[in-house]
């Protein structure tokens, strides 16, 4: 029984390289692990690396017939990974750290074995990238697609429907296409499964590509049909079934059925190994070529990998943030409980939150300010932040508005609605010492650069909101919100003087 992947020497160097990678990228790995465990969307990522290593182990016979020649020039690609990782660490940008972490591992393995040898395990190495927890950004888009498909099918079966944001109303009741109904978990899992199944089941590239494309498309339409089915069953049963928590159970049964159909379809599409490939494999079954390894070059290569990763570790130790600076806050008549803010934003790890009311153009405007101190561990821009509570509000539309003509900067103005028919306008904007505007990407990058060079300053997120009853009042409310936002942005700018 073969207990070595290639030979003892190479196996030890690969193992040491992986351990060194884990130590150097430990923050990126363990933050990703927390996401895998906590988020239902990314539970499947727990199995990605074990599957990748198992697929590599399955190829050990072919690897032992190759010439192992470390290629230093592949380590050039490790340098961008290190820089991206350090940049992500400085700005606490988890996505950048995760991308750098799980891109570095296959690069190290390819550089150690050489590209010619690594082609044997090219798919398992690429499969490691599925360990990156990414895809939540697609949730709003998938929600809209699911709602559109459901409305289309409801009209086909002659059920009167009205859609308001993500709320679908039928004579029997109202349904919200919530984040859990976006089907994002099944969508990502289907893609990962489709790629894995195509690799293990097909020889033809066209068939592999076709099945991967199918694994992209099927979950999107299947989720729309699932949403329609839940509403249709609730309609037929007078809201007795599929209207409560049980619709989640029905949904997972439906997903399992769709996954089974994908497997059956894949089995029907299976192809056999081409005759010419079988003829090429036949001579190799006799005498197996002797494994070729260049030990001295392998040692130098491992030392160089260690040197690069040690440089990264030293750099990270130099940019660890000092103690947070003292906050400068506005003198506002702050309400005691920010939860009374009607939109109920979910802003985490802010160093201070102020919430107040102001009157503008005869309109009562709610103002919410989140403060982040210089060198704070709080994140001004984060994927977990929500401008409004998605369980109580749904987005109808969103647009950019110009706030100041003299020093032009834009804010995002969102029109949101509740299940009870209430409508609100919500404006949000970032205020930092370098930038004022609605761009989360620009705010994050500039803040990260400041931390990178040790020039971090405090930053703010401003939310301004007011309720309206009809389209005529909406115009007045919009003017009041913009005027209030300009006033508070000016006050926050004075903090830096």
């Amino acid at each position: 029984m073969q207990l070595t992947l290639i030979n003892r020497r190479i196996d030890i160097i690969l193992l040491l390289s992986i351990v060194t990678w884990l130590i150097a990228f430990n923050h990126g790995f363990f933050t990703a692990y927390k996401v895998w465990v906590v988020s239902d969307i990314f539970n499947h990522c727990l199995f990605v690396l074990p599957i990748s290593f198992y697929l590599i182990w399955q190829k050990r016979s072919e690897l032992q017939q190759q010439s192992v020649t470390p290629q230093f020039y592949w380590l050039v690609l490790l340098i961008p990974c290190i820089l991206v990782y350090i940049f992500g660490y400085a700005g606490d940008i988890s996505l950048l750290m995760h991308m750098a972490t799980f891109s570095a591992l296959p690069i190290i393995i390819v550089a150690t074995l050489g590209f010619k040898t690594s082609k044997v395990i090219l798919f398992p190495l690429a499969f490691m990238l599925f360990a990156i927890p990414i895809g939540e950004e697609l949730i709003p888009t998938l929600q809209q697609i699911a709602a559109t498909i459901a409305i289309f099918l409801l009209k086909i079966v002659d059920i009167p429907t009205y859609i308001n944001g993500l709320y679908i109303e039928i004579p029997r009741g109202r349904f919200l296409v919530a984040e859990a109904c976006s089907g994002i978990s099944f969508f990502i899992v289907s893609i990962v499964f489709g790629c894995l199944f195509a690799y293990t089941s097909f020889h033809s590239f066209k068939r592999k590509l076709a099945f991967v494309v199918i694994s992209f498309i099927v979950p999107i339409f299947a989720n729309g049909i699932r949403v329609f089915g839940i509403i249709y069953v609730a309609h037929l049963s007078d809201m007795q079934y599929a209207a409560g928590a049980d619709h989640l159970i029905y949904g997972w049964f439906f997903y399992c059925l769709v996954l089974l159909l994908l497997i059956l379809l894949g089995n029907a599409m299976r192809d056999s190994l081409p005759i010419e490939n079988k003829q090429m494999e036949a001579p190799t079954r006799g005498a197996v070529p002797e494994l070729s390894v260049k030990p001295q070059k392998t040692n130098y290569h491992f030392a160089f990998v260690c040197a690069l990763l040690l440089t990264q570790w030293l750099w990270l130790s130099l940019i660890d943030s000092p103690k947070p600076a003292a906050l400068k806050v506005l003198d506002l008549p702050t309400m005691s409980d920010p939860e009374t803010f009607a939109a109920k934003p979910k802003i985490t790890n802010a160093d201070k939150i102020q919430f107040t009311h102001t009157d503008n153009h005869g309109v009562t405007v709610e103002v919410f300010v989140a403060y982040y101190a210089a060198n704070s561990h709080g994140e001004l821009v984060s994927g977990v932040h929500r401008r409004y509570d998605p369980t109580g509000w749904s987005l109808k539309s969103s647009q950019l508005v110009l706030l100041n003509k003299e020093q032009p900067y834009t804010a995002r103005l969102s029109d949101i609605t509740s299940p009870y028919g209430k409508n609100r306008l919500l404006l949000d904007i970032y205020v930092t010492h370098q930038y004022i505007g609605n761009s989360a990407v620009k705010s994050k990058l500039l803040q990260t650069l400041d931390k990178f060079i040790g020039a971090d300053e405090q930053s703010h997120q401003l939310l301004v909101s007011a309720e309206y009853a009809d389209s005529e009042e909406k115009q007045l409310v919009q003017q009041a919100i913009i005027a209030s936002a300009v006033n508070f942005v000016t006050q926050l700018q004075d903090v830096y003087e």
Side-chain angles (χ1 to χ4, degrees):
M1 181 179 179
Q2 290 180 324
L3 295 178
T4 57
L5 179 64
I6 300 177
N7 69 15
R8 186 177 178 184
R9 182 187 192 87
I10 297 297
D11 290 358
I12 290 174
I13 288 180
L14 279 174
L15 182 60
L16 290 175
S17 297
I18 292 171
V19 171
T20 306
W21 162 81
L22 185 59
I23 293 172
F25 291 91
N26 71 90
H27 190 69
F29 179 85
F30 286 109
T31 54
Y33 177 78
K34 288 180 182 178
V35 176
W36 301 344
V37 173
V38 173
S39 174
D40 293 338
I41 298 174
F42 301 113
N43 288 159
H44 69 277
C45 292
L46 288 165
F47 303 98
V48 168
L49 291 182
I51 290 173
S52 296
F53 289 128
Y54 174 76
L55 293 175
I56 291 173
W57 178 256
Q58 291 292 94
K59 291 288 186 178
R60 61 191 183 279
S61 296
E62 294 179 48
L63 288 171
Q64 291 170 7
Q65 300 174 29
Q66 305 298 317
S67 174
V68 177
T69 306
Q71 295 174 322
F72 285 93
Y73 56 83
W74 279 96
L75 293 178
V76 173
L77 297 178
L78 195 59
I79 297 175
C81 289
I82 291 173
L83 293 176
V84 169
Y85 184 82
I86 294 171
F87 189 80
Y89 183 87
D92 201 13
I93 307 175
S94 297
L95 177 59
L96 292 184
M97 286 193 292
H98 298 160
M99 291 175 65
T101 298
F102 296 105
S103 297
L105 179 56
I107 289 173
I108 290 172
I109 294 174
V110 170
T112 303
L113 300 180
F115 183 70
K116 184 178 179 181
T117 302
S118 299
K119 285 196 293 185
V120 175
I121 54 171
L122 198 56
F123 176 83
L125 294 177
F127 192 75
M128 291 178 181
L129 298 178
F130 281 122
I132 302 171
I134 186 173
E136 286 181 299
E137 300 78 10
L138 297 174
I139 288 177
T141 302
L142 292 175
Q143 284 176 280
Q144 291 288 350
I145 293 174
T148 301
I149 293 173
I151 289 291
F152 175 76
L153 295 175
L154 287 169
K155 289 180 179 179
I156 289 179
V157 296
D158 292 328
I159 296 179
T161 59
Y162 171 73
I163 186 165
N164 184 18
L166 292 172
Y167 290 100
I168 298 176
E169 298 185 35
I170 63 172
R172 300 287 188 183
R174 177 184 288 134
F175 298 83
L176 170 64
V177 183
E179 290 187 5
C181 300
S182 67
I184 184 66
S185 299
F186 183 61
F187 177 69
I188 296 176
V189 169
S190 176
I191 293 171
V192 175
F193 170 79
C195 292
L196 183 60
F197 191 91
Y199 170 73
T200 57
S201 301
F202 305 124
H203 300 287
S204 165
F205 175 76
K206 291 182 179 179
R207 288 177 187 252
K208 289 180 180 180
L209 181 61
F211 191 79
V212 170
V213 171
I214 290 171
S215 70
F216 268 85
I217 297 173
V218 167
I220 296 176
F221 285 96
N223 188 59
I225 295 171
R226 181 186 72 92
V227 173
F228 158 74
I230 289 169
I231 298 174
Y232 190 57
V233 170
H235 171 77
L236 294 179
S237 64
D238 196 18
M239 305 295 285
Q240 295 299 311
Y241 300 103
D246 56 346
H247 81 275
L248 295 175
I249 300 173
Y250 300 156
W252 279 111
F253 274 114
F254 182 74
Y255 286 150
C256 289
L257 177 62
V258 173
L259 196 59
L260 177 61
L261 292 176
L262 274 176
I263 294 173
L264 294 175
L265 177 61
N267 286 331
M269 292 173 59
R270 281 182 187 270
D271 56 349
S272 57
L273 189 65
I275 297 175
E276 57 269 23
N277 287 9
K278 293 179 181 178
Q279 292 174 345
M280 289 174 62
E281 285 186 356
T284 66
R285 292 175 185 169
V288 178
E290 186 178 349
L291 176 68
S292 173
V293 181
K294 298 182 179 179
Q296 189 174 12
K297 194 171 183 180
T298 304
N299 292 340
Y300 289 148
H301 170 84
F302 177 66
F304 191 63
V305 170
C306 290
L308 279 176
L309 297 182
L310 179 62
T311 303
Q312 171 184 302
W313 181 79
L314 291 173
W315 197 342
L316 291 177
S317 65
L318 291 175
I319 64 171
D320 270 335
S321 299
K323 293 182 179 180
L327 268 177
K328 298 178 181 179
V329 300
L330 302 182
D331 184 15
L332 299 176
T334 304
M335 305 292 289
S336 59
D337 185 12
E339 281 291 313
T340 56
F341 191 83
K344 290 183 170 53
K346 307 298 181 183
I347 307 296
T348 60
N349 298 324
D351 293 299
K352 185 175 180 60
I353 288 177
Q354 287 184 318
F355 165 61
T356 189
H357 290 93
T358 184
D359 186 81
N360 202 304
H361 290 76
V363 176
T364 300
V365 179
E366 298 181 348
V367 180
F368 181 101
V369 186
Y371 294 84
Y372 297 88
N375 304 315
S376 167
H377 291 292
E379 290 188 76
L380 173 66
V381 180
S382 172
V384 299
H385 290 177
R386 296 290 182 268
R387 294 170 292 134
Y388 54 86
D389 182 2
T391 63
W393 296 93
S394 174
L395 181 66
K396 292 171 63 178
S397 63
S398 182
Q399 62 177 318
L400 298 182
V401 292
L402 186 66
L403 294 194
N404 193 332
K405 294 181 180 179
E406 296 177 1
Q407 296 178 335
Y409 50 83
T410 58
R412 177 172 48 180
L413 184 66
S414 302
D415 190 354
I416 58 177
T417 184
S418 77
Y420 310 105
K422 292 184 178 181
N423 298 296
R424 298 190 73 84
L425 290 179
L426 173 66
L427 181 145
D428 67 285
I429 189 169
Y430 299 104
V431 182
T432 71
H433 77 108
Q434 289 192 79
Y435 174 72
I436 302 172
N438 67 288
S439 174
V441 173
K442 191 171 183 178
S443 300
K444 188 68 174 179
L445 289 177
L446 289 173
Q447 189 182 34
T448 301
L449 282 172
D450 283 343
K451 289 186 177 183
F452 201 70
I453 62 176
D456 194 22
E457 294 276 356
Q458 80 173 53
S459 53
H460 319 84
Q461 183 173 12
L462 174 66
L463 303 176
V464 186
S465 174
E467 186 175 335
Y468 71 90
D470 51 42
S471 57
E472 184 176 340
E473 187 181 10
K474 181 179 179 180
Q475 296 299 322
L476 179 63
V477 167
Q478 180 171 329
Q479 293 174 12
I481 285 177
I482 292 175
S484 298
V486 170
N487 177 37
F488 278 90
V489 167
T490 302
Q491 292 183 57
L492 291 172
Q493 283 180 292
D494 293 340
V495 167
Y496 300 111
E497 296 180 356

